Amino acid sequence: MNSNLFRTSLALSLFVAVAGTAFAQSDDDGPMPDMKPPTKAEPKKDDNKTKVEDYEKTLKDLKRIDGPFPMYQRRKDILVEVPDSAIGKLFLVQATLGSGASSILQAGDPVGDMALDVFRWEKQDNQLLIMRPNLKYRWSKDDPLKNASDRSFPEAILGNFRLEGYNPDKKLNLINMSSFLFGETFRLNELVNLTLGGQYMLDRERSGVEAIKGYPENTVVQAKLHYMSPRGAEGNPFLALLGFGGDNQLEDSRSVPLKVTYNLWYRGDDGYMPRLSDPRIGYFTEDFYSMERFLNDDRTERYIMRFNLKKKEPTKAISEPVKPIIWVVDSSVPTAYRDAVKTGILRWNRAFDAAGYKNAIQVIDPPADFDHADGRYNVVRWTVSPNSAYAVSYPRTDPFTGEVLNASVTFDANYLAWIMNEHQSLVTPTAGLASKSLQALMRSPDASTPADALIWEPDETKAKEELQKQYAKFGWHALECEHAKGLADSASFGWAALSAYPGLKISKEEYAKQFISDTISHEIGHCLGLRHNFEASTNLTTAQLADDKITGDQGIAASVMDYTPVNIQAVLKGHGNFYMPTVGPYDIWAIQYGYSSVPSATTPLGEKPSLSKIASESGLHGHAYMSDENVDRWDPYVVMYDSARDPVNYSDKMLEAAAKTRKYAVEKLSVKGESFDKRTRLVLQSILETFREGRLSARFLGGIRGSRSFVGDEGAGNATLDPVNGDIQRQAMHLINKNCFMPDSIRLSKQVMVNLSFDPASGGSATWTAPLREIIGRMQDMLYASVMSADTTDRIVENSYKLEGGKGAYTIQEHFGSILGAVFREVGQSKSIDPTRRDLQRFAVSALITQAGAPQGQISEDVRMLASDSLHRLSARFGEQLKSKAKLDEMTVIHLRDTKDQMDRFLNRQAISR
């Protein structure tokens, strides 16, 4: 949020023999019989001689570049020889940006789908057509529905090239492929316009091919393209909402020079056999509608994405691979951090050792004539965007089988800058979110959007969804992996917290290297085929995370594929494993499933018994798996940037670090001769971190613990949808009340509040007025809406029903009592009420009125009745306080009187309507 082998020719019929499946309109090496052009009479010999002479004349004095696709360059035109024997053959094309223009259009990004584009030639009259098979639907040539399928699922025609010449003696076709190399087939012009916003057109006069290289396995073409717009970049509004607005890195946005590298090769047989997926283990998959499964409930076949790794000695338990997975560390990676990058890559050998491979992963420096976009290599590169920190992986796969043919990782250097300069991403809630938060008290008409997203990031969530739709047509999924950005924010907070403690035993440089190795390991995992695993963080307890021996052996999570924050236990003691020092037990198990050899099997289905035995270990400790479709919903253990088997205890440690960081900032960072910028950032960061931990704890209220285990799996529990233990829910509610809702939750001195300024030279400082009351008030409102949302209260009611009579069940009436007791604590105690407390109380009353007045079906009846009853009780308490002779400040009295009037007006209307 967010997967290298090339060979020459493969007849599609051979692939059918391996995979047991054929593909739409591709039963053999040539066109479908009914699609062949009509047979023409043999030309006269004199005609053949003329054609040969014309052909040779066309190519006279042009340099030939040999390779699978022999090419000639004629000024700006690229002429390609296609032998008759290649007509009907499948060929793969990998297009990659060699340079960038913005954070979302960067060097190394794929042009077209991450699954490689597959085409075949078809000859029609005096031209060659470029066809794309319909790989979404597949059937065998013997399938009884073959004829119906042939007619129902057509191929696509994506281009045609007029014959520049034909050599009948050598049976060679000569075509001009310049338009193809200008990106037209890959909709590159559209991609530029979508990313930068504007009306860009390809400037053909200043575009052309820089270099062509022919190798035995593939042909590489490096194109230099230029896009022009009279108005320049206008920005994409959805990218702006995600923080990418206006960040193009162009000298003048009217001019967009881009380099694109194309790799072309004919699809060959490398002996790879596809492997079926299992939902208990997380691999990316190549999915297709299979006619062989037509009578099944699920007609989708799923092949996992993985490299083609084979043992040199198949009969041995441990063997070196026939061809290892070799990674090149690009020259763009600074010398000081190359070892950290290599460490992150080579950690995966631990998992491959367990799967029976010795030295499966290897790392080399760039060889001679190296191009980071050449598909012959797997590469880790660094890039620099204007102000974004991200890392992204691009596994490029065979769309027929899911085989990873090559892969790359791009790491933005801003990561390093953010850590070394203690950058914090201070995103405070915007105006209007409080009113949007009230919407979450009702059942959402769009059940696919969690209430938490509706409350905390509604605009960002919608922007992501819209961008995914826009980029999907280009095959892009780069926005799906957000590991890097969140980890960078966590890293900067971790270093700030380290500064607040005595006994620091690690340099900033070593701290950054731990971070880099962790991030690279995560992205390499994606390239190996692995999806995110957001339950891996529950492997160790909070106490165990303080033990360097345990974390050194198992990692701080069961997998590097989770989004795990800095290990706060290492921060609290000033040394240790701050980030993942190794791959975890889940990673080892998952690689075993994906890469272990099954010598006895000759088909994907034949492997299933052996693989199912591996997958049946899903219930063992450290093997739990939940991914992107599960994260940040109803399972509080499947969350981004949480940690520990006891996450509420871990949140308590994070809150301890936040409080000490705030104290350190206040007491130590008012330095003569310096601005208040760093102190301000740490104070705000500590407040944001406090509410973040409250938000994580809120997920336990009404939470359900999920499991993917099948019946009888080893170590599996008795429930796949198990309500969270009532005592843990009470612990979570206590943490929220104590740190976020109680009167003394957040206190700052006047001296701090009147000096909460940024560096006058920094962006935005001229408009920053330090609206602290507003910031704290909004976050309290949003947190209150989270714990009282329809999603949360519905699940509390439902869990209570399932556990009726169960000892210690957390009930909806207990939930209301706990929250309202904290929010309205001062009422009745004859105390003046602070401004932020008055704000929170008014929001809580508005929420209760919304719940009590909810239309039927929009909220649980138990919740509606409790909300109405709470308003009656609160009105009485407010009234008693107003009648007392306690000395209260004027605003407290006005607050009590006005809020009581608001409640009474609603209750009176409610009584009349009944």
Side-chain angles (χ1 to χ4, degrees), residues 1 447-454 456-457 460-461 464 482 534-535 537 562-563 626-642 692 695-699 704 791-792 795:
M1 162 231 77
S448 65
T449 302
D452 191 69
L454 183 66
W456 294 90
E457 49 195 28
E460 184 176 338
T461 299
K464 287 178 184 176
E482 300 173 357
F534 290 114
E535 195 163 355
S537 58
D562 202 341
Y563 290 3
M626 291 286 179
S627 197
D628 297 72
E629 60 271 23
N630 313 109
V631 72
D632 291 342
R633 291 183 179 269
W634 40 262
D635 189 335
Y637 295 93
V638 184
V639 178
M640 297 183 190
Y641 304 110
D642 67 334
R692 180 185 174 279
R695 179 184 176 185
L696 290 177
S697 297
R699 298 180 184 279
I704 303 169
D791 283 2
T792 298
R795 289 196 300 269

Side-chain angles (χ1 to χ4, degrees), residues 143 158 283 361 368 393 396 461 491 513 515 633 682 703 733 786 808 816 849 872:
D143 194 287
L158 293 184
Y283 274 85
I361 306 284
S393 54
R396 308 302 295 268
T461 299
K513 288 180 179 179
F515 169 87
R633 291 183 179 269
L682 286 186
M733 194 67 251
S786 293
F816 266 73
I849 290 173
H872 282 286

Side-chain angles (χ1 to χ4, degrees), residues 687-704:
I687 294 172
L688 293 173
E689 184 61 37
T690 297
F691 282 96
R692 180 185 174 279
E693 297 307 320
R695 179 184 176 185
L696 290 177
S697 297
R699 298 180 184 279
F700 284 86
L701 306 170
I704 303 169

